[in-house]
Amino acid sequence: MIPRRLVIKIVSAPHRRFHLYLPLWLLWPVLLPLAVVLVPLVGLWCIARRVNPWRVSCAILQLVGSISGTHVEIEHPHGSFLMSIV
Amino acid sequence: MSENRRKILDMLVDRKITTDDAERLLAALDKEPPAASRSPDDENRSSQPKYLRVVVDELEDATHKPTKVNVRLPLQLLRAGIKLQSLLPPEARGDVNLALRESGFSIDLSQIKAENVDELIAAFSDLAVDVDAEGGRSKVKVFCE
């Protein structure tokens, strides 16, 4: 499944906090035109490198689709880090 | 009528079980999905692990706030990564192999095939590493779920 949101929380000191909530489902439609522009360039690169462009596209899509569910959480006496892709 | 249902009713007729027992057994039969409706692929898929987990726990005491690590990585990433590495140009693969060897990993990337990923992931279901360090103060668990 394509990731829908990304949450990053970093606490580096009692009063230094960074909290990012990125709704990826809003970002994908924005990035779609960029992808359309990049497709011919990637295709040309694949032909130059003698790699099957279809297999490259499938592998990239699978990579993007498989990162949802990733969760990294570290708590340390001096701070904490959380990254969650849903 | 199924074989099991007939056996239950036969036992009831022979007075080997009571009506309550028969009712309970029939209800249990109704709950159980027929084995034929589940394909071996479905069973394999449901039993396959989905995530690689790494959990590090430290015991808390008065002077020391514990460090905790909780990592969950989808095993699909492994599948996608292996597919991507199979697309690497041979010269780039040689460079990666060399860099891995210099770091102490003598792995030949060309030997990792996308066809073997399912087998590899299925093998992960048995993976469980438990480490007790610092006299039981720290616990590291690596497992798949």
Side-chain angles (χ1 to χ4, degrees):
Chain A
M1 189 186 283
I2 292 173
R4 284 163 288 148
R5 62 176 187 269
L6 166 74
V7 179
I8 294 178
K9 282 183 195 174
I10 302 171
V11 179
S12 55
H15 301 291
R16 291 185 72 181
R17 287 163 189 264
F18 172 77
H19 188 170
L20 174 73
Y21 175 91
L22 200 61
L24 295 173
W25 60 275
L26 281 174
L27 202 68
W28 295 128
V30 177
L31 290 177
L32 198 62
L34 187 70
V36 171
V37 172
L38 283 176
V39 161
L41 296 175
V42 171
L44 285 173
W45 179 86
C46 290
I47 291 164
R49 292 275 175 178
R50 292 182 192 164
V51 181
N52 185 342
W54 175 248
R55 284 182 63 197
V56 170
S57 313
C58 288
I60 290 172
L61 280 177
Q62 194 176 1
L63 193 70
V64 170
S66 60
I67 55 171
S68 64
T70 303
H71 181 93
V72 178
E73 192 179 357
I74 300 165
E75 277 182 43
H76 188 266
H78 302 298
S80 65
F81 171 82
L82 166 83
M83 186 192 74
S84 184
I85 303 170
V86 184
Chain B
M1 193 185 294
S2 76
E3 180 77 11
N4 289 336
R5 201 171 285 269
R6 192 182 298 278
K7 274 184 191 169
I8 293 166
L9 293 177
D10 285 346
M11 285 194 289
L12 181 65
V13 170
D14 296 341
R15 294 186 181 276
K16 285 180 183 167
I17 55 173
T18 64
T19 48
D20 286 345
D21 292 337
E23 197 178 347
R24 215 174 303 130
L25 288 169
L26 287 170
L29 266 184
D30 289 340
K31 277 183 199 164
E32 192 177 276
S37 69
R38 280 178 281 152
S39 71
D41 271 0
D42 288 346
E43 280 180 18
N44 282 347
R45 214 163 286 147
S46 62
S47 65
Q48 268 196 3
K50 286 185 178 169
Y51 299 102
L52 174 71
R53 296 284 311 273
V54 179
V55 180
V56 181
D57 263 328
E58 266 187 350
L59 285 179
E60 191 170 0
D61 60 30
T63 57
H64 182 78
K65 209 180 164 200
T67 300
K68 290 183 178 182
V69 178
N70 180 9
V71 178
R72 185 181 69 189
L73 288 174
L75 286 173
Q76 283 290 339
L77 261 181
L78 180 72
R79 201 188 296 264
I82 287 174
K83 265 196 178 168
L84 261 185
Q85 74 81 20
S86 70
L87 298 170
L88 283 176
E91 58 270 25
R93 203 174 295 165
D95 289 346
V96 174
N97 281 341
L98 192 67
L100 282 171
R101 212 168 300 131
E102 280 171 4
S103 306
F105 298 98
S106 55
I107 300 169
D108 185 1
L109 286 182
S110 60
Q111 297 298 316
I112 305 172
K113 306 275 183 213
E115 301 88 62
N116 301 336
V117 180
D118 283 333
E119 207 176 316
L120 188 68
I121 289 176
F124 272 136
S125 60
D126 298 328
L127 173 78
V129 180
D130 281 351
V131 182
D132 272 357
E134 297 171 20
R137 282 184 46 84
S138 298
K139 287 187 177 182
V140 181
K141 280 186 177 184
V142 181
F143 58 97
C144 290
E145 62 178 18

